[in-house]
Amino acid sequence: MDIAPDTVADIVIRLRAIDVKEGPTDPDSGSNPIDDGSTDVLTSGTDDATESEVRSMIAGLDDDSRAELLALLYVGRGDMEPEEWDAAVDFAREREAAGEGAVKELLRTPDAGDLLEEGLDALGLTPDLPQA
């Protein structure tokens, strides 16, 4: 595998941070972080730094690593078995070529971080990750 398990672990942590966020509940409140107990960090929005970090991290990967990241998602989700790793990577490359990139697929997949971790586990790779 070209992508380092620790790199996947970094992406998992950020994806989990995105998963716990909710949409704006009172976008025009006019409050400030001190008054509202800094609860806005759990609200996603157009200026979400965590999503930008994930996008940058994935965009910074080479083609093979991006394909393997998606393949981990497919294995973790149960679409493919660990024994089908090469086929999963090939399928991921096809998705990338068709314009369905890793960033899009990971950000729109619920619990993507957990699924990536399950993919790593299925392949016998277990980086040190905090539990969800």
Side-chain angles (χ1 to χ4, degrees), residues 18 23 28 48 59 65 74 85 88 96 105 112 114 118 124:
I18 291 170
D28 298 320
D48 188 351
S65 295
Y74 303 148
W85 177 251
E96 285 271 332
E105 190 154 357
D114 294 339
E118 289 177 27

Side-chain angles (χ1 to χ4, degrees), residues 107-125:
L107 288 177
R108 72 174 180 216
T109 300
D111 299 322
D114 294 339
L115 295 173
L116 288 175
E117 184 177 11
E118 289 177 27
L120 285 172
D121 287 342
L123 293 173
L125 304 169

Side-chain angles (χ1 to χ4, degrees), residues 49-127:
T50 308
E51 184 174 324
S52 295
E53 287 176 4
V54 170
R55 289 178 181 279
S56 293
M57 289 177 77
I58 295 171
L61 297 173
D62 62 46
D63 292 343
D64 290 336
S65 295
R66 272 195 312 276
E68 290 177 349
L69 188 65
L70 273 180
L72 283 171
L73 177 73
Y74 303 148
V75 170
R77 193 166 55 194
D79 297 336
M80 298 185 147
E81 297 298 322
E83 300 80 27
E84 300 174 293
W85 177 251
D86 291 336
V89 173
D90 289 342
F91 182 68
R93 283 192 181 105
E94 290 172 14
R95 297 290 301 249
E96 285 271 332
E100 289 293 320
V103 171
K104 286 182 186 176
E105 190 154 357
L106 287 166
L107 288 177
R108 72 174 180 216
T109 300
D111 299 322
D114 294 339
L115 295 173
L116 288 175
E117 184 177 11
E118 289 177 27
L120 285 172
D121 287 342
L123 293 173
L125 304 169
T126 52

Side-chain angles (χ1 to χ4, degrees), residues 30-52:
S31 68
N32 64 47
I34 294 171
D35 291 342
D36 67 12
S38 295
T39 57
D40 285 343
V41 299
L42 295 177
T43 305
S44 63
T46 57
D47 59 347
D48 188 351
T50 308
E51 184 174 324
S52 295

